[in-house]
Amino acid sequence: PNLKVISTMSVGFDHLALEEIKKRGIRVGYTPDVLTDATAELTVALLLATARRLPEGVEEVKKGGWSSWKPLWLCGYGLSGSTVGVIGLGRIGMAIAQRLLPFGVKRLLYTGRTAKAHGAEVNGEFVPLDELVAESDFIVVSCSLTPETQGLCDKAFFSKMKKTAVFINSSRGAVVNQEDLYEALSRGQIAAAGLDVTTPEPLPTSHPLLTLKNCVVLPHIGSATYSTRGVMSALTAQNLLGGLQGSDMPSELSF
């Protein structure tokens, strides 16, 4: 009964019981915008690490697997001349697209509820989801978790992807059916996957995805730069103070 305000140090709020919060008239502060650049940078890093098999390469060096030169050893997939599909061209999706284009991406497809005016800034083509999945060499998921997107990336989704395609998720773990992803990766239905988010978090060390060489899993570190976390902390405190004092919150969630 005494709870007046909630301040979350995140852009996501799917961990909050929003219906109950709304019913009780509790104000909610969150931290959008300030983590956009850091998350976009991490997503591009994850894409490159996955596509070019960097964790595998590091492991081979450490365990002595690096021997004489072999033409196809540790070959991966490059961005130059490729088609990239972005699911959710919001703030973070747009920032990811802006960073990928200089790599020589030929086409940038995106999907979502509606076409975005800012999509033109990255020469984005608004297409249906099925077309994006079928034509993309790299698929980047950066949408919000909603009832519509929960479990969006499932068996049917992966079956439409190219066998040489790379799948990246830095949005929310629940957007992906991880059992279906494991099947697609282990059977060679898709080339590789990179995840910064999972269900649950942390992912148990016994999880099947962690047995695969073509799956790179990071511990949800999208916004983990010193400067970004500092700004997030300050904004979280300012939101909390605003809520307690009954004044404006810099970033208040509107229901």
Side-chain angles (χ1 to χ4, degrees):
N2 295 325
L3 185 59
K4 305 298 180 191
V5 59
I6 295 170
S7 186
T8 178
M9 192 169 146
S10 64
V11 65
F13 42 82
D14 49 278
H15 57 295
L16 302 178
L18 293 180
E19 287 305 312
E20 186 66 22
I21 289 167
K22 185 178 179 181
K23 189 174 21 173
R24 297 186 185 208
I26 298 165
R27 297 175 71 186
V28 177
Y30 68 133
T31 60
D33 301 321
V34 297
L35 48 69
T36 298
D37 288 339
T39 303
E41 288 172 8
L42 188 281
T43 304
V44 172
L46 178 57
L47 186 153
L48 291 169
T50 304
R52 294 297 302 273
R53 302 170 65 178
L54 301 191
E56 278 185 81
V58 170
E59 193 57 34
E60 290 295 329
V61 172
K62 287 182 176 180
K63 72 180 187 184
W66 182 13
S67 59
S68 58
W69 183 78
K70 297 182 282 291
L72 298 180
W73 187 58
L74 285 176
C75 280
Y77 300 91
L79 280 160
S80 182
S82 70
T83 297
V84 172
V86 179
I87 299 176
L89 199 69
R91 286 183 296 261
I92 294 174
M94 185 67 177
I96 293 167
Q98 288 168 333
R99 284 160 173 77
L100 288 176
L101 284 182
F103 284 92
V105 171
K106 188 176 181 182
R107 293 178 71 203
L108 191 130
L109 313 178
Y110 74 96
T111 191
R113 288 177 182 167
T114 57
K116 305 285 188 183
H118 58 244
E121 296 174 30
V122 289
N123 299 317
E125 303 171 42
F126 181 66
V127 297
L129 179 64
D130 283 355
E131 184 177 335
L132 180 147
V133 174
E135 296 190 15
S136 297
D137 300 301
F138 300 90
I139 295 177
V140 180
V141 183
S142 61
C143 58
S144 300
L145 179 61
T146 65
E148 294 76 36
T149 61
Q150 181 144 4
L152 175 73
C153 306
D154 57 7
K155 187 173 184 177
F157 179 101
F158 297 121
S159 69
K160 293 168 189 162
M161 286 176 62
K162 298 178 181 180
K163 285 193 172 182
T164 53
V166 174
F167 175 82
I168 303 295
N169 183 22
S170 59
S171 60
R172 284 292 180 268
V175 174
V176 177
N177 181 312
Q178 291 175 172
E179 287 70 30
D180 291 349
L181 175 60
Y182 173 79
E183 288 298 318
L185 288 167
S186 58
R187 293 179 180 179
Q189 198 167 35
I190 66 175
L195 311 173
D196 185 41
V197 288
T198 60
T199 306
E201 292 182 356
L203 193 67
T205 55
S206 59
H207 197 282
L209 283 173
L210 300 180
T211 66
L212 301 173
K213 285 187 175 182
N214 59 343
C215 187
V216 178
V217 181
L218 299 179
H220 202 152
I221 53 172
S223 63
T225 67
Y226 289 112
S227 58
T228 299
R229 290 287 169 84
V231 174
M232 288 172 70
S233 300
L235 182 54
T236 302
Q238 289 163 1
N239 283 334
L240 191 60
L241 289 171
L244 288 171
Q245 294 164 355
S247 56
D248 286 343
M249 299 165 74
S251 292
E252 184 171 6
L253 189 61
S254 56
F255 294 96

